[in-house]
Amino acid sequence: MSELSKARIPDAPAIQRLPLLQLILVGLQHVLLMYGGAIAVPLIIGQAAGLSREEIAFLINADLLVAGIATIVQSLGIGPMGIRMPVMMGASFAAVGSMVAMAGMPGIGLQGIFGATIAAGFFGMLIAPFMSKVVRFFPPLVTGTVITSIGLSLFPVAVNWAGGGAAAAQFGSPVYLAIAALVLATILLIHRFMRGFWVNISVLIGMCIGYVLCGAIGMVDLSGMANAPWIQFVTPLHFGMPKFELAPILSMCLVVVIIFVESTGMFLALGKITGQEVCPRMLRRGLLCDAGASFVAGFFNTFTHSSFAQNIGLVQMTGVRCRSVTIVAGGLLIVLSLLPKAAFLVASIPPAVLGGAAIAMFGMVAATGIKILQEADIGDRRNQLLVAVSIGMGLIPVVRPEFFAHLPLWMSPITHSGIAMATLSALTLNLLFNILGGAERAAINDCHAHPH
C-alpha cells in the first residue's frame, strides 16, 4: 500500500481493550439494530409456506442460532473462514422473492428451499476464491459509489420504521414521529455533550428511552409472551430431509453470487471505517464464511446468510471498531435463540424506536461513501457520470420495486437489490471508462501535459 493511501485511512487498533460491561452494551446495540431484519426473512417464508405460529417461531430461533454462530466465525476467524472485522450476519433478503415462489411450488416447499440453500452454500464455497480476486476492480471511485448506494437504499427502511412501520394503520402519526424524533435527538445530544463510553452506547440509550416511553403509553405489545417456552433448542432437519431440485438450486446459486457482490461492497466499507486494507485473502475468508453459513443454515432449518449492511453505520457512528464487540453480539444472538421469551421481548421494540436510530446510522453509511469518493478523481466528467448513473440504478428498486416486474423471475435477486444494481453498474462503467478506456485517457492526458 502506498504512503498516500496509508495517509487516507484513519489509524484504528485491530483490537480495542474494552471493559466487559461496555462490550456487552455495544454488542446489544448491534443485536437490537439487526434483529428486525434477522427475523423478517423466516417470518415471511414461514407465512408463505403456511406454517403455524409455533413453527414460525422455531424458524426464527433457528435463524438467530445460525446468525450468532456465523457472526462469531466471521468476526473471530476460524480456520479458513472469517474476515476478522466487526461484521454482523443474518438471513439475506436477496433470496426472499425466489424462496416465496418456491414455498408455493408443488413438491418443493420448505424442504426444497433448504436443499437449494445447502447446494448454493456449497457452490459459494467453490467460487469464493475466484470472487475474492475482484478487489482490484473496486478502486475508491467504485467503492465510494457502492457504499453511498448502500446507505441510500437502506434509508427508506429507516423512514418506514420512523413512521410507525410500513403496515401501521396510522402511518406517520404524530406519536410515531415524536418517538422517532426523541430517539434521534437523544443520540445527537449524547454525541454533542458526552464523550467516550456514553458515545459508544448512544444508540442503546436512545432506544431504551424510546422503549420506556412506548411502554408507558401502551405501544409495546407483549401478548403471547406468557405462552412462549423459557428454553427451546434448535434441532437439525426439524422439517425433514432436504430436497434437491435443479431449478431452485440454480436460482439460489444466482442469489449467492449477488450476496457475494453485496458483501464485497460491505467488507470494503468496513475496511475503510476500521482502517484495514481488505486484500483478496481477507475477502476470500469473508466470502467463504458467507457461503459456509448458508451451507450450514440449510441443515439447521434456515436460509442463505450474508453480512448485514445496517451495522456498518453503527460501527462508524459509535467509533467502536473492534471485532470483540460483534463476537459478543453473536453470543447474544445464540442466547436469544435458546430463550424464546427473551427473543420475544426484543421483537416487541416498536418500529418508531428503531427508526429514530436508523436515520442517523444509515445516513452515516452514505456519508462514509461520500468521504471515500473524495479519494477519486471526481472532477472528471466520466467519473461523475459513473457515480450519477450507478446511484440512480441503485435507487430504482427502492423508489419503484415493481419497475422490473415484467422481467424473468430468475433476475429478481439482481433487480430487487439496490446494492446489487449499483455495484454492477459501477463495476461495468468503471471497466468501460477507466480500464478499457485507460489507454485513450492516458493519451489525452499526455497530450494536455505536452501541447505542441
Side-chain angles (χ1 to χ4, degrees):
M1 197 159 69
S2 68
E3 291 301 317
L4 183 59
S5 62
K6 277 185 182 175
R8 287 173 178 151
I9 297 176
D11 291 329
I15 291 288
Q16 288 170 272
R17 299 289 181 184
L18 294 177
L20 180 60
L21 176 61
Q22 190 170 346
L23 273 178
I24 294 172
L25 291 176
V26 180
L28 183 59
Q29 282 183 141
H30 277 286
V31 170
L32 295 179
L33 178 62
M34 60 83 70
Y35 192 88
I39 68 172
V41 174
L43 194 61
I44 293 167
I45 305 305
Q47 289 173 343
L51 300 184
S52 67
R53 182 169 178 153
E54 290 74 23
E55 288 174 322
I56 291 175
F58 185 89
L59 274 187
I60 291 172
N61 286 347
D63 181 61
L64 293 176
L65 175 66
V66 174
I69 295 170
T71 296
I72 291 172
V73 174
Q74 190 72 277
S75 303
L76 183 62
I78 297 176
M81 293 185 182
I83 198 166
R84 294 176 177 162
M85 289 201 297
V87 176
M88 293 296 294
M89 300 280 290
S92 172
F93 275 91
V96 167
S98 301
M99 291 192 297
V100 167
M102 289 179 212
M105 289 181 187
I108 304 295
L110 270 183
Q111 292 168 309
I113 292 173
F114 296 146
T117 301
I118 292 167
F122 182 72
F123 169 75
M125 287 190 284
L126 292 179
I127 67 168
F130 304 100
M131 290 290 290
S132 65
K133 299 185 188 302
V134 303
V135 174
R136 65 192 185 93
F137 295 108
F138 281 83
L141 178 67
V142 174
T143 305
T145 303
V146 170
I147 295 168
T148 303
S149 296
I150 290 172
L152 294 177
S153 65
L154 287 171
F155 215 74
V157 177
V159 173
N160 275 330
W161 282 345
Q170 293 182 308
F171 182 83
S173 162
V175 176
Y176 297 143
L177 302 186
I179 291 165
L182 173 66
V183 174
L184 179 59
T186 301
I187 294 169
L188 294 175
L189 289 171
I190 290 172
H191 276 258
R192 172 62 182 85
F193 295 107
M194 302 279 189
R195 292 289 181 271
F197 172 75
W198 299 106
V199 170
N200 292 347
I201 63 166
S202 59
V203 174
L204 182 62
I205 294 172
M207 291 175 67
C208 285
I209 291 173
Y211 187 84
V212 169
L213 176 61
C214 288
I217 60 177
M219 282 179 57
V220 176
D221 181 15
L222 295 176
S223 59
M225 184 175 175
N227 298 328
W230 281 103
I231 296 178
Q232 184 178 43
F233 292 97
V234 175
T235 51
L237 305 177
H238 179 79
F239 294 93
M241 291 298 292
K243 295 179 182 176
F244 297 95
E245 302 285 344
L246 183 61
I249 287 172
L250 292 176
S251 176
M252 293 297 269
C253 285
L254 175 62
V255 166
V256 165
V257 174
I258 300 307
I259 286 172
F260 279 3
V261 172
E262 293 180 349
S263 292
T264 298
M266 294 174 204
F267 293 149
L268 291 169
L270 264 179
K272 293 290 184 180
I273 291 169
T274 59
Q276 292 178 272
E277 183 182 18
V278 179
C279 61
R281 180 173 171 274
M282 284 181 66
L283 182 57
R284 182 180 72 247
R285 293 179 62 90
L287 297 180
L288 270 174
C289 186
D290 276 8
S294 298
F295 179 75
V296 171
F299 291 103
F300 276 87
N301 322 290
T302 186
F303 315 105
T304 48
H305 273 55
S306 67
S307 310
F308 263 42
Q310 293 97 313
N311 295 80
I312 295 173
L314 185 57
V315 174
Q316 171 76 328
M317 194 167 73
T318 62
V320 181
R321 302 165 182 172
C322 61
R323 52 197 171 101
S324 50
V325 168
T326 47
I327 292 170
V328 169
L332 291 174
L333 285 173
I334 293 172
V335 170
L336 286 173
S337 77
L338 301 173
L339 303 174
K341 285 187 185 292
F344 197 104
L345 191 65
V346 175
S348 70
I349 298 173
V353 174
L354 293 170
I359 285 173
M361 285 180 293
F362 297 171
M364 286 294 281
V365 178
T368 299
I370 294 169
K371 180 173 178 290
I372 294 168
L373 280 173
Q374 293 174 354
E375 300 178 23
D377 181 12
I378 204 65
D380 185 293
R381 189 179 298 275
R382 281 187 285 191
N383 287 348
Q384 292 174 8
L385 192 59
L386 180 152
V387 174
V389 171
S390 300
I391 288 178
M393 293 296 287
L395 287 176
I396 289 174
V398 173
V399 176
R400 291 300 294 266
E402 70 276 21
F403 188 84
F404 296 109
H406 297 290
L407 294 183
L409 183 63
W410 65 266
M411 294 182 67
S412 62
I414 304 171
T415 57
H416 284 74
S417 169
I419 299 171
M421 291 285 291
T423 303
L424 294 174
S425 174
L427 285 171
T428 303
L429 292 178
N430 185 58
L431 188 67
L432 176 66
F433 290 161
N434 297 322
I435 296 178
L436 297 180
E440 171 203 344
R441 180 172 295 195
I444 293 171
N445 291 341
D446 187 58
C447 183
H448 286 316
H450 303 96
H452 294 292

